[in-house]
Amino acid sequence: GLLLSIQRRTANGVGASANYTLSKCEGHPTQGGTTPNVNSGYMLPVSLINPPSEEEIERRLDESYGPCESDRRHIFNLTLTAETPEFDNTTMRYALSGWRISGIFRAASGSRLTVGAGADRALISGAAGPQRANQVLDDPYGARTLDQWLNPAAFAQPALGTFGTSGRNAYEGPGSRVVD
């Protein structure tokens, strides 16, 4: 990751602070949002009808490697403050001097999304755990609106007894912008 920060201390009653973070986080799945490790609770699901070969297990373990759930590629924060001046008039000085107003703007990339199969398509006896849909179109994104961020036609159910081809956390959700 990279963090850049700039600050302008109060001058003429106005101050500003800004920072930008560029980061990338990748790894294997975690249990409960903790750091991946041997005791993470992650298990590679195996189909009872169509058990995978050792080569396929290694390939699927590689496929489970992907962006972390907490991955946010870009984060920008801006804080502005303005303070009222010191008035000469005694009444105005007591009533209006020394007030400060602040504003914060934050923009961030979207969270990571995984498109699930929604059912036990791999037939792994109720352990519906990380089963994913098949991505059938090159561009999985829809209109990129909150109503249709991903294109539903870009995904299909995997055949029974198989796992989907879409990646874990492979898609970036909508970003956010907040003003306080």
Side-chain angles (χ1 to χ4, degrees):
L2 169 72
L3 173 64
L4 301 174
S5 183
I6 187 168
Q7 183 177 27
R8 171 69 172 140
R9 298 190 187 261
T10 304
N12 299 326
V14 177
S17 175
N19 61 59
Y20 169 75
T21 303
L22 173 65
S23 67
K24 182 176 183 179
C25 177
E26 291 186 345
H28 289 285
T30 60
Q31 184 82 8
T34 60
T35 304
N37 60 41
V38 177
N39 297 320
S40 69
Y42 175 72
M43 292 175 45
L44 183 67
V46 175
S47 174
L48 298 176
I49 291 177
N50 188 14
S53 66
E54 289 297 320
E55 180 181 300
E56 188 177 7
I57 288 174
E58 287 180 26
R59 179 184 58 80
R60 288 200 4 241
L61 280 171
D62 287 342
E63 288 175 356
S64 73
Y65 187 87
C68 300
E69 300 197 12
S70 61
D71 182 37
R72 300 289 182 282
R73 195 60 41 102
H74 305 280
I75 301 173
F76 175 75
N77 293 294
L78 173 66
T79 304
L80 298 173
T81 60
E83 189 173 332
T84 58
E86 185 75 28
F87 292 98
D88 291 333
N89 179 295
T90 305
T91 304
M92 289 185 67
R93 184 172 52 245
Y94 283 119
L96 301 175
S97 293
W99 287 91
R100 184 176 298 167
I101 186 167
S102 300
I104 302 170
F105 172 74
R106 175 184 165 91
S109 298
S111 60
R112 304 306 297 190
L113 304 173
T114 299
V115 177
D120 183 11
R121 302 294 293 180
L123 305 174
I124 54 176
S125 73
Q131 294 185 37
R132 300 185 286 261
N134 285 336
Q135 182 177 334
V136 295
L137 297 177
D138 289 336
D139 183 11
Y141 295 98
R144 291 191 182 248
T145 64
L146 291 179
D147 292 333
Q148 190 187 32
W149 188 258
L150 294 175
N151 179 0
F155 301 95
Q157 290 284 359
L160 284 175
T162 65
F163 293 92
T165 59
S166 64
R168 181 182 67 82
N169 293 338
Y171 312 103
E172 185 177 316
S176 64
R177 280 127 189 92
V178 178
V179 176
D180 291 326

